[in-house]
Amino acid sequence: MGYRAGVVGAAGFAGIELVRLLSRHPEFDLAAATSDALAGTPIAKAYPAFTGVTDLAFSTHEDTDFSAFDVVFLAVPHKAAMGMAPDLIAAGVTVVDLSADFRLKDPAIYEKWYAPHTATDLLAQAAFGLPELTGDELAAAAERRAAGEAVLVGCAGCYPTATSLAAAPAIRAGLVDAAAPVVADAVSGVTGAGKKATERTHYCFANENLEAYGVGTHRHTPEIEQILGLEGRLVFTPHLAPLNRGLLSTVTLPLAPGAAPTTEGLVELYRDFYAASPLVSVMDAGVQPRTASVAGTCRAQVGVAVHPAGMIVATGAIDNLGKGAAGQGVQCANIVFGLPETCGLEEIANPV
């Protein structure tokens, strides 16, 4: 018998991806998937891909008793998770949150970009969920959970994940000018905007179109700055592409005075940095990541090159629903529960 797991907000794109991953996870047993809008509807009826996979039906949030669960994944909108997490933690349930509510360490910054935070005590103790870069926080959370404490993980967002995985090795090696702006241009598939169609994400507007949005105002900016230590220096511009899944971030990093790496040397540095990260692959010199090569997985591909203008250009490709959301949540839960971090996440993308 494995760990009893539930998903709140399971009918959305990230939530149903969690259902997919947990339905075949060898250690987590999916026992509840909630959706107020689809309560009572079999999951396989709403999403026929689950025909023959699960007989579970959606339940309501309020009528689902999670008190006997080991872990609950929150795939709910921002500001909703901080209202749900305190009761779950008080009941002894470990929480893995996919929203932004427990990512930003400073409640004042959260309030600036979202709203006043109503669970600052939990915010102070939440582990940040980007395993390759915040493994110490997750390891400490695993120790606390092993000692009988319910813990909270705030998983990194999709844009911050791809951008930070691409840029962190160079920044942490001291190769980047500590006073200059860093530019990140990122492109995401439409599922990153959630299930509800808008004037930007409706098929007729998104198809055959590419556009920037949230220019200078996107809420993932402070999260990326927090991860990379770039407070006030990040120029982040997201773009929407007519893809279902996939996210590519290109980060332009000015070299520090006196730094003169080669592309081959950077590739070696990056491979050393991610040597213990089985879900991150560093591409050969001259080879760039592809979103199609990671779609449907929790894997990331990273590429890096030296630009003759005195810049490092680093690229990161992920599946925005996989490594950018549900897969990352499962990866974090694996670590917190003392499992191999790749448990249930071993898939590779379709080659064509």
Side-chain angles (χ1 to χ4, degrees), residues 188-254:
S188 175
V190 180
T191 53
K195 186 177 179 182
K196 186 176 181 179
T198 67
E199 288 191 7
R200 180 179 289 119
T201 63
H202 188 290
Y203 175 83
C204 293
F205 299 122
N207 188 46
E208 297 292 336
N209 182 55
L210 183 65
E211 66 176 293
Y213 66 97
V215 178
T217 63
H218 196 277
R219 289 172 168 178
H220 280 170
T221 300
E223 185 182 342
I224 300 169
E225 291 182 339
Q226 174 182 278
I227 297 167
L228 296 176
L230 296 176
E231 286 75 12
R233 294 197 290 125
L234 177 68
V235 182
F236 171 61
T237 306
H239 302 72
L240 184 70
L243 305 168
N244 283 350
R245 310 167 68 124
L247 192 155
L248 180 73
S249 185
T250 301
V251 192
T252 304
L253 304 136

Side-chain angles (χ1 to χ4, degrees), residues 104-112 115-117 120 123:
L104 298 174
K105 302 295 188 182
D106 186 342
I109 295 178
Y110 182 90
E111 181 171 352
K112 176 182 176 181
H117 206 289
T120 54
L123 180 63

